[in-house]
Amino acid sequence: MSEKLIQSAIRASENAYVPYSHYRVGAALLTADGVIYTGCNVENASYPATICAERTALVKAVSEGVKEFDMLVVATPTGGSPCGVCRQALYEFAPDLHIIMVDFTGKIYHEAKLRDLLPLGFGGSHLDEAKGK
Ligand code: THU
């Protein structure tokens, strides 16, 4: 399955809209039901409006009613890792997500659990505590 996800992420990067950074990113998110949602980065002339590939894939899935995820592959030119915003966005749904980072040849640079990439991520228990639960 991870090879299929790797190829899906690489293919998704082809749709990246990157007129500003020219840095293409593709993501492939595997649901607990074995379905793959892909995403690419979509940039904007107002730079902060840019959405990363990982969050594109996540939002596509959640907007279809899917909230359980097992694995994510991120494909970049350099085998780069997901940004902090994406880590936190993914942590909301899948703190135990397995993440694989590859370049466009499919070479694996890193493999890690989201929990280890985002120690002490902000989540439900913090909110429960604040609400006195
Ligand atoms: N980018 C992603 O798509 N995912 C990340 O986790 C890191 C950064 C995108 C945002 C922007 O379009 C480009 O990479 C350069 O920062």
Side-chain angles (χ1 to χ4, degrees):
M1 179 48 91
S2 62
E3 189 48 40
K4 190 174 172 197
L5 269 190
I6 288 170
Q7 292 312 318
S8 299
I10 293 170
R11 210 171 320 116
S13 75
E14 291 168 14
N15 291 326
Y17 176 74
V18 289
Y20 307 105
S21 74
H22 304 287
Y23 189 83
R24 292 180 181 277
V25 185
L29 186 58
L30 179 67
T31 73
D33 292 336
V35 176
I36 297 173
Y37 285 85
T38 60
C40 61
N41 49 338
V42 181
E43 298 187 342
N44 193 278
S46 174
Y47 291 6
T50 293
I51 181 164
C52 294
E54 299 90 322
R55 278 176 293 136
T56 301
L58 177 68
V59 168
K60 279 170 70 176
V62 175
S63 66
E64 299 287 329
V66 182
K67 298 187 193 67
E68 287 180 46
F69 309 104
D70 287 346
M71 207 187 297
L72 172 76
V73 171
V74 186
T76 67
T78 55
S81 57
C83 79
V85 172
C86 288
R87 293 179 198 197
Q88 177 63 37
L90 291 160
Y91 189 87
E92 177 79 17
F93 298 95
D96 292 316
L97 192 69
H98 186 79
I99 303 181
I100 301 175
M101 295 146 249
V102 302
D103 67 15
F104 294 150
T105 70
K107 178 182 167 193
I108 295 176
Y109 283 69
H110 302 284
E111 246 181 283
K113 289 281 176 201
L114 177 54
R115 237 180 235 297
D116 298 324
L117 294 178
L118 188 69
L120 297 174
F122 190 76
S125 60
H126 298 283
L127 295 174
D128 290 346
E129 211 173 297
K131 287 185 279 193
K133 286 186 187 165

